[in-house]
Amino acid sequence: MISDWGAVAGRTFRAVRGTSAPVTYGLIGLCCLVFVLGPASGLDPVYGSGNALLAAQRAYFRHWGVIPAELFAAPAREALSPATALFVHGSWVHLLGNMLFLYVFGAMTEERMGRVRFTLFYLGCGYLALIGYAAANDASRQSLVGASGAISAVLGAFLYLFPDARVTSLLPFLFFLPLRFPAWVVLPFWAAVQWLAAGRASQGPGVAYLAHLVGFALGFLFAWLRFGRRAARAAPEPGGG
């Protein structure tokens, strides 16, 4: 069994390394692996079921996630928590939603930035997005996990780099018909929805909409500073989202 897993891992690593966006696909694979092995997936019987599973999930999120009140009370001890929180997700919906956005927008952004720069960009913006959310909720003791801030930064950079790339969108008020719009329409609309949701989320942390906004702004600003006023390169369509 171990040798079989080793062979599968080897083939997966070679496939990822051979793509034009190995960092993006590697991040997707790593987030999925961490989720499946953790208690949030509910797949590992070692965590039990029922109340035992819920207790294991809470302890897991507290250990690897960001707790704003503790982050600023003991910044030296908690300094790594925004980095580890980027790879932890709270549910299957949370994971799959984030990975879909990363899959759609990450590969083209990575190809444009380069692998090393994209890696540093993703981790740095994701870290700062979680810090920004924690600073605005510094009394909260709820665990904050997920790659949403980093992926929002990818969306912000994508908007600057590929404003005319057409993105498939599913709109609820149009019966979820798949329609294609340019990124300069879809992504600002998405950011506006996050802004409105963040304004309504004043009763305490839930979905970290503010982290989405901070990440989006950081991603756009990074792309603008790095690539200046050069015209965005004509881009192929990202395929969906």
Side-chain angles (χ1 to χ4, degrees), residues 66-79 81-82 127-141 144:
V66 175
I67 302 175
E70 296 183 7
L71 176 65
F72 295 106
R77 188 184 67 206
E78 299 294 326
S81 63
Y127 188 99
L128 292 175
L130 293 179
I131 292 289
Y133 178 88
N137 297 274
D138 58 351
S140 173
R141 305 197 67 85
L144 176 64

Side-chain angles (χ1 to χ4, degrees), residues 24 100-110 118 151 154-155 158 162 167 183 186-187 238 240-241:
T24 296
L100 175 61
F101 273 86
L102 182 55
Y103 174 78
V104 171
F105 297 101
M108 288 170 57
T109 306
E110 178 185 345
F118 179 79
I151 296 169
V154 173
L155 268 60
F158 188 96
F162 308 109
V167 180
V186 174
L187 296 181

Side-chain angles (χ1 to χ4, degrees), residues 31-118:
C31 286
C32 291
L33 179 63
V34 169
F35 180 79
V36 168
L37 295 179
S41 69
L43 297 178
D44 192 338
V46 73
Y47 294 108
S49 60
N51 291 333
L53 178 59
L54 292 176
Q57 291 173 350
R58 286 193 293 268
Y60 183 78
F61 297 147
R62 287 187 63 84
H63 182 74
W64 297 109
V66 175
I67 302 175
E70 296 183 7
L71 176 65
F72 295 106
R77 188 184 67 206
E78 299 294 326
L80 285 178
S81 63
T84 58
L86 290 175
F87 300 95
V88 178
H89 290 83
S91 67
W92 282 100
V93 172
H94 190 200
L95 172 75
L96 295 177
N98 275 349
M99 295 305 100
L100 175 61
F101 273 86
L102 182 55
Y103 174 78
V104 171
F105 297 101
M108 288 170 57
T109 306
E110 178 185 345
E111 289 178 21
R112 183 68 184 275
M113 289 187 179
R115 298 173 184 178
V116 174
R117 184 179 294 112
F118 179 79

